């Protein structure tokens, strides 16, 4: 047992020679090629900040082969999840609650039992500095939601894969649905004592700062906003919906007068990574195609 523990705790080099803890992972989800763009920038931002855990993306069958090839140059592991073909109890939960399709897909992260602990990040998040310290937290750790701080925001959370927990979550989904129709409502009613039980499970807000919330406590934003470690582009306008001018390094704000200064700078960061590190991956594939 001691030998096994020793090996598990020893980081192993990945393809690029980085040392990684092999039984812990950062996990995201993309159910289509559009959300893959977000996953790619997130994965690249984790790499840029020398993440020491494995990078995993869950995809559904809708994700094209081209995107899978590109994802594989950023992520260590691509795992296809398919609600319809999955084990019977998932199938049942899905049939009873078809409106929770993407939500139930996100819950698949609990089935990654080859990892002892994981950090889930929405595909619309961007990492601004190393966040490996999150692995010292326990399930279920998350940051308050800016719209209702007694609920956690489910865009960033620490969890422990377990088929038992997965089954209980699906049972909860079948019996109670979700009060907001999505994963956040379901997870908050399942981990219902989050707001009061253990302050260690409250992640600091800088691990899930929403880029487009108008923070009404502006002195706090001035004081702490610059120490943000994870930005979350939550809501309907995602970074990939904007146009970007690589010459100026800035997104174009056509008619969208409501975009604030700090939101613009986060969008520019996202697009900077997309332009510098993700678009060239498409170019490489085109060149490989031309040579064969
Ligand atoms: N998602 C996806 N495909 C979709 C919608 C959502 O893959 O069509 C995944 C993706 O990882 C996304 C997460 O589910 O980041 C949660 O959805 P979203 O971020 O759009 O919700 P919000 O954070 O804006 O509430
Ligand atoms: Mn999100």
């Amino acid at each position: 047992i001691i030998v096994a523990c020793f090996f598990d705790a020893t980081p192993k080099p990945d393809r690029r020679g980085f040392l990684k803890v092999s039984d812990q992972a950062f996990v995201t989800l993309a159910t289509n090629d559009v959300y893959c763009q977000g996953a790619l920038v997130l994965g690249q931002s984790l790499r840029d900040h020398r993440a020491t855990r494995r990078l995993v993306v869950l995809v559904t069958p809708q994700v094209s082969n081209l995107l899978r090839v590109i994802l594989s140059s950023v992520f260590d592991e691509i795992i296809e999840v398919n609600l319809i073909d999955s084990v019977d109890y998932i199938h049942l939960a899905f049939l009873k609650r078809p409106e929770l399709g993407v939500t139930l897909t996100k819950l698949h992260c609990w089935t990654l039992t080859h990892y002892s602990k994981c950090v889930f990040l929405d595909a619309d998040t961007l990492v601004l500095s190393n966040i490996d310290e999150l692995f010292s937290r326990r399930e279920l750790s998350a940051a308050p939601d800016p719209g209702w701080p007694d609920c956690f925001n489910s865009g960033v959370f620490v969890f422990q894969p377990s088929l038992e927990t997965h089954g209980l979550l699906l049972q909860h989904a079948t019996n109670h649905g979700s009060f907001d129709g999505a994963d956040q409502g379901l997870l908050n009613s399942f981990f219902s004592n989050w707001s009061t039980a253990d302050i260690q499970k409250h992640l600091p807000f800088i691990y899930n700062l929403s880029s487009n919330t108008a923070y009404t406590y502006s002195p706090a934003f001035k004081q702490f906003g610059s120490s943000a470690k994870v930005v979350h582009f939550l809501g309907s306008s995602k970074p990939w919906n904007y146009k970007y001018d690589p010459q100026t390094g800035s997104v174009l704000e056509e008619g969208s007068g409501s975009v604030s200064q700090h939101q613009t700078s986060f969008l520019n960061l996202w697009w900077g990574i997309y332009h510098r590190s993700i678009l060239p991956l498409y170019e490489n594939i085109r060149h490989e195609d031309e040579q064969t």
Side-chain angles (χ1 to χ4, degrees):
I1 286 165
I2 290 166
V3 171
C5 291
F6 175 75
F7 277 115
D8 273 346
T10 307
K12 297 183 184 68
D14 74 352
R15 288 191 307 264
R16 292 148 197 253
F18 292 140
L19 289 178
K20 291 204 174 170
V21 177
S22 59
D23 74 333
Q24 298 182 340
F26 290 104
V27 180
T28 190
L29 162 70
T31 65
N32 55 53
D33 287 8
V34 174
Y35 271 89
C36 282
Q37 310 309 313
L40 285 164
V41 170
L42 165 64
Q44 185 62 44
S45 70
L46 284 161
R47 284 198 180 281
D48 289 346
H49 296 288
R50 294 285 183 267
T52 59
R53 274 34 175 211
R54 284 169 63 86
L55 306 187
V56 175
V57 58
L58 305 177
V59 298
T60 51
Q62 290 78 7
V63 172
S64 69
N65 281 328
L66 173 64
L67 262 301
R68 286 168 202 240
V69 171
I70 291 176
L71 284 168
S72 70
S73 56
V74 174
F75 287 86
D76 298 304
E77 199 176 358
I78 302 175
I79 298 177
E80 184 173 278
V81 292
N82 187 352
L83 283 175
I84 317 296
D85 297 345
S86 301
V87 262
D88 282 351
Y89 61 93
I90 305 181
H91 195 161
L92 181 71
F94 184 68
L95 287 183
K96 286 201 179 164
R97 296 279 176 177
E99 79 281 9
L100 295 182
V102 173
T103 298
L104 296 181
T105 308
K106 197 174 194 179
L107 299 186
H108 270 290
C109 68
W110 263 274
T111 67
L112 303 176
T113 52
H114 52 306
Y115 297 111
S116 63
K117 194 189 283 184
C118 298
V119 172
F120 184 92
L121 294 151
D122 266 7
D124 61 343
T125 60
L126 174 65
V127 167
L128 305 178
S129 63
N130 184 285
I131 53 167
D132 289 348
E133 67 273 15
L134 287 180
F135 287 91
S136 68
R137 305 272 178 158
R138 284 178 302 133
E139 175 172 286
L140 182 288
S141 294
D145 185 85
W148 194 262
D150 280 346
C151 287
F152 59 83
N153 183 279
S154 62
V156 179
F157 60 89
V158 181
F159 70 101
Q160 187 182 342
S162 149
L163 293 183
E164 190 193 351
T165 310
H166 184 237
L168 292 171
L169 278 162
L170 288 164
Q171 202 169 8
H172 196 86
T174 335
N175 296 342
H176 308 286
S178 163
F179 71 79
D180 65 0
D183 55 284
Q184 181 156 314
L186 173 70
L187 290 171
N188 271 277
S189 65
F190 187 82
F191 295 101
S192 61
N193 66 0
W194 171 84
S195 70
T196 54
D198 180 359
I199 195 66
Q200 289 300 323
K201 294 183 179 177
H202 285 231
L203 296 183
F205 200 51
I206 53 168
Y207 288 97
N208 188 344
L209 189 88
S210 71
S211 67
N212 51 359
T213 301
Y215 293 106
T216 50
Y217 188 10
S218 52
F221 189 84
K222 279 207 190 93
Q223 180 76 1
F224 304 116
S226 60
S227 30
K229 294 190 175 209
V230 181
V231 179
H232 186 182
F233 297 94
L234 69 87
S236 53
S237 55
K238 302 301 188 196
W240 49 85
N241 298 136
Y242 290 80
K243 288 207 178 80
Y244 177 72
D245 179 355
Q247 242 73 56
T248 62
S250 185
V251 292
L252 309 172
E253 295 168 43
E254 292 160 345
S256 47
S258 63
V259 181
S260 69
Q261 189 65 53
H262 66 268
Q263 187 180 358
T264 307
S265 62
F266 291 138
L267 287 167
N268 292 346
L269 279 177
W270 190 97
W271 270 100
I273 295 176
Y274 190 72
H275 215 263
R276 190 171 53 249
S277 303
I278 305 306
L279 282 180
L281 300 175
Y282 287 87
E283 293 295 319
N284 292 346
I285 286 181
R286 203 171 304 148
H287 289 144
E288 279 167 26
D289 278 356
E290 282 162 9
Q291 280 160 13
T292 53

